[in-house]
Structure formats: structure tokens, C-alpha cells
């Protein structure tokens, strides 16, 4: 049996194989972040098709932290019942599911649509332009967001999830604090890496206070910035953050990129040597932590993924775009159909038009289906 199908313990639970569905937003919630039956069905489908661990699409902890239209929310206790349906569906299918929680900070689409308090770590020239002026966060604002992460995690546990994952990557608020490109503060939240990581460390502590001692708390960490000139968060700093967060009690670290967001899903992954595109970074993080490490980004073929695990660089691999195209991919692999994922990494799936509606799907597959229908 391939090592990819060996079980592994994460915190207080076990997953049946090494495949993780990386958090993937599907634009299936209403404007207050309440999830739909379609979301529940999607998670059930992934669990039925042998995904070892599902990470739900990112959910905002406060309304002014919403980053994209129709994303999930976990900002009130009223959200708990619908998520209970989701966790039950996954558990009934013998799956495991954790929720990813986020605050968008300067990447807050909602305030551009509905107004509200538009907050940035620092007001910089490289922040998104929504036509409204952001305000630099005060200590009180920061404390409010930290507490909101804690409350959100409490709801995640009450809703029956197996764990909670902090979104600490892709230019959202945690990344905005970590990166010196977006964090120009001169107070205790900015400057040295110890100060820049203070926010995520405090978020972790607030979460730990609100959940049971053994409830698994995880992070998807943007372990370095990928700017053209090499400026920004370095991988050495990322490794320091990973080590510090492990000491705070995080039990599973998935690594990805920090700033800017457009480096999160490189396109054209069409050869094995282009796969596993954060492998060099994973090797550095591996040295800094002993907890299970998960590597996302360009996982497409079994031999590449097997090598990632066999070499000891990571313990799990996570996939996003391939499972949008083929939700049954892991089951196919388990059943012996070993061909690589069909996904050509065009990035067409992450193409929300800002208006909402169910617009996350594989555009290549849709084209193919249309062609076949026309014949
Ligand atoms: C449609 C879409 C939605 C995504 N939503 C999220 C999200 O909610 N949270 C997150 O951390 N990453 C999100 N990502 C990034 C993926 O989880 C992943 O890090 C990235 O796509 C690279 O992996 P891949 O090559 O397997 O696609 C999203 C990606 C896509 C394509």
C-alpha cells in the first residue's frame, strides 16, 4: 500500500490517509455567511470520496473581515446549527472536517459593498483599493479581532468540527501582520519578527482559552512572501513563527505563501518538476517543528506526493483545484486508477465576479461538457 494511504494522528484524532482538502471557498453562503445545503452536500461528497481531512472554505470571524462574496461566516452563535448539519454529514461518511477561520483586514470586500469599519494593519501604498479609505487599527480594534477569533473557535467546536484552522496565509490579516510590506507599525505589533507575530500568537492564545484543552488548533501559515524583488517575510522568519506557534500548542501546520495573494495558486503546473511548488520552503519549516506538517500547492501526481511524504519533508499533502475538478479523485487513486489529476492549474476556478452566486467550478470541464453537448 502506498504511504499516502497510511493513517496519521493529528492532535486528538486520526485521519485515514495523507490527503487533505485544502480550504476552498465556493461562494455558496448567503450575504450573512449562513451556509447552504449545497455546501453540506459538497463536504459530504468529499468525505464519501476518501478525502482524509477536509478543511472548510474560509469563514469570517467578524463581518468587516469578509473578503469575498458569499463566503462562509462564523461571526454569531446563530451560525452554529447549520454547521452542525455539515459536520454530521461528514462524520456520517466517516470523514473528518476542520473549519478555517479568517479576518481579511485590508482585503475586506464586504466594507467595499456595504460600508463599515475598514481596518488595516498599516495604511500603505500596496493595499487593495476599494474606493474607501482604511483606518489604521488601534490596540482596541486589534483586541476585538483577537477575541472574535476566540469566540469563532468556540462556535466551531460547538458545531462539531474536529478542529479549527487559523487562516494565516495569502495576504489576509495574519499575513498582513507578519509581512513587513504591509505592517509598518512602530508599536508592539510591528517592527521585529517577534512583534509582527504577536497578533497570531495572541489569536492562538484567545482560541485556546475558548476551546477544550485537547481541541485541535491548526494554522495554514504563509511561511514567506513571494515578491519579485525578494522583499517581505523571509523563510527564516516563517520558520521562527512556525516554531513559536507550535510552542503555543498548535498541532498541525499547513504551509503556503504569505503576500501577495496572486502567488497562492501559480498556473500551468503541467509537469512533475513544477508540482509541490513550496517544497524548498517545507524543508526549512520541517527543521523548525515536530508536529505534523502539511504541504499544499501543485500536488497532482502520486509519485511526487509519495516522495514528499517518504522523504519526511511533510506528513500530509493538501489539494484544492484538483478536487474542484474531480471531487472523487482520492477515491480513484485508492481504487487503483493512478493517473495524475486532470486539473491543468489554469486558475479559472478562482474567478468570482464580485456579484456572488455559485461561480466556483472548473471552467475547463464546463467547456468540455459544452463541446460534447454541441456534438
Ligand atoms: C476557488 C479557490 C478557493 C480558495 N479558497 C481558499 C480558502 O478559503 N482558504 C485558503 O486558505 N485557501 C484558499 N484557496 C487556496 C488553496 O487552498 C490552495 O492553497 C491553492 O489553490 C494551491 O493549491 P492547489 O495547487 O492544489 O490548487 C482557494 C483556491 C481556489 C482555487
Amino acid at each position: 500500500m502506498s504511504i499516502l494511504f497510511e493513517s496519521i494522528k493529528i492532535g486528538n484524532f486520526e485521519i485515514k490517509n495523507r490527503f487533505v482538502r485544502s480550504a476552498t471557498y465556493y461562494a455558496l453562503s448567503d450575504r450573512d455567511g449562513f451556509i447552504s445545503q449545497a455546501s453540506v452536500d459538497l463536504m459530504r461528497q468529499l468525505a464519501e470520496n476518501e478525502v482524509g481531512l477536509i478543511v472548510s472554505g474560509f469563514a469570517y470571524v467578524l463581518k468587516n473581515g469578509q473578503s469575498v462574496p458569499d463566503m462562509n461566516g462564523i461571526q454569531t452563535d446563530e451560525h452554529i446549527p447549520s454547521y452542525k448539519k455539515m459536520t454530521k454529514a461528514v462524520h456520517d461518511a466517516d470523514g473528518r472536517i476542520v473549519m478555517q477561520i479568517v479576518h481579511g483586514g485590508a482585503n475586506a470586500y464586504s466594507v467595499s459593498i456595504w460600508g463599515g469599519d475598514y481596518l488595516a494593519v498599516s495604511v500603505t501604498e500596496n493595499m487593495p483599493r476599494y474606493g474607501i479609505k482604511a483606518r489604521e487599527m488601534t490596540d482596541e480594534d486589534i483586541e476585538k479581532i483577537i477575541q472574535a477569533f476566540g469566540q469563532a473557535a468556540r462556535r466551531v467546536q460547538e458545531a462539531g468540527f474536529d478542529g479549527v484552522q487559523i487562516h494565516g496565509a495569502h495576504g489576509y490579516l495574519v499575513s498582513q501582520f507578519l509581512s513587513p510590506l504591509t505592517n509598518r507599525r512602530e508599536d508592539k505589533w510591528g517592527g521585529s519578527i517577534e512583534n509582527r507575530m504577536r497578533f497570531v500568537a495572541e489569536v492562538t492564545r484567545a482560541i485556546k482559552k475558548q476551546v477544550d484543552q485537547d481541541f485541535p488548533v491548526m494554522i495554514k501559515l504563509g511561511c514567506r512572501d513571494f515578491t519579485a524583488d525578494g522583499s517581505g517575510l523571509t523563510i527564516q522568519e516563517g520558520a521562527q513563527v512556525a516554531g513559536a506557534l507550535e510552542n503555543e500548542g498548535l498541532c498541525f501546520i499547513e504551509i503556503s505563501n504569505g503576500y501577495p495573494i496572486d502567488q497562492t495558486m501559480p498556473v500551468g503546473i503541467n509537469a512533475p518538476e513544477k508540482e509541490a511548488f513550496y517544497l524548498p520552503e517545507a524543508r526549512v519549516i520541517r527543521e523548525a517543528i515536530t508536529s505534523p506538517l502539511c504541504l499544499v500547492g501543485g500536488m497532482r501526481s502520486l509519485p511526487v506526493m509519495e516522495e514528499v511524504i517518504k522523504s519526511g519533508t511533510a506528513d500530509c499533502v493538501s489539494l484544492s483545484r484538483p478536487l474542484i475538478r474531480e471531487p472523487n479523485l482520492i477515491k480513484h487513486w485508492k481504487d487503483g486508477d493512478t493517473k495524475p489529476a486532470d486539473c491543468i492549474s489554469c486558475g479559472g476556478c478562482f474567478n468570482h465576479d464580485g456579484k456572488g452566486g455559485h461561480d466556483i467550478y472548473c471552467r475547463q470541464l464546463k467547456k468540455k461538457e459544452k463541446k460534447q453537448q454541441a456534438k
Side-chain angles (χ1 to χ4, degrees), residues 22-25 58 100 167 170 220 265 298 300 320-321 350:
S22 205
T24 304
Y25 145 80
F58 57 175
Q100 187 186 63
H167 194 337
H170 307 167
K220 184 169 183 179
M265 49 189 100
R300 303 293 182 264
S320 170
R321 289 169 290 178
F350 196 81

Side-chain angles (χ1 to χ4, degrees), residues 185-290:
R185 299 178 74 102
E186 291 177 356
D187 57 8
K188 66 177 183 180
W189 306 103
S192 66
I193 185 60
E194 287 78 10
N195 281 358
R196 281 181 277 133
M197 75 163 96
R198 190 183 305 279
F199 176 73
V200 65
E202 292 289 346
V203 163
T204 306
R205 287 177 205 143
I207 290 174
K208 287 265 175 198
K209 256 193 211 148
Q210 292 297 331
V211 297
D212 289 346
Q213 211 191 345
D214 66 342
F215 187 67
V217 184
M218 318 173 177
I219 191 165
K220 184 169 183 179
L221 179 66
C223 64
R224 62 164 282 205
D225 291 343
F226 284 88
T227 52
D229 64 1
S231 60
L233 183 77
T234 65
I235 184 61
Q236 287 72 28
E237 289 174 330
Q240 203 181 323
V241 176
L245 294 178
E246 183 178 52
N247 288 338
E248 293 288 343
L250 295 196
C251 65
F252 186 73
I253 299 186
E254 180 183 13
I255 61 159
S256 189
N257 78 303
Y259 175 88
I261 194 172
D262 58 12
Q263 294 302 310
T264 298
M265 49 189 100
V267 295
I269 311 300
N270 52 14
E273 56 279 11
K274 293 187 185 172
E275 295 184 25
F277 42 76
Y278 301 132
L279 196 55
E281 285 71 31
R283 292 196 182 106
V284 180
I285 302 292
R286 175 77 292 168
E287 295 300 312
I289 61 165
T290 54

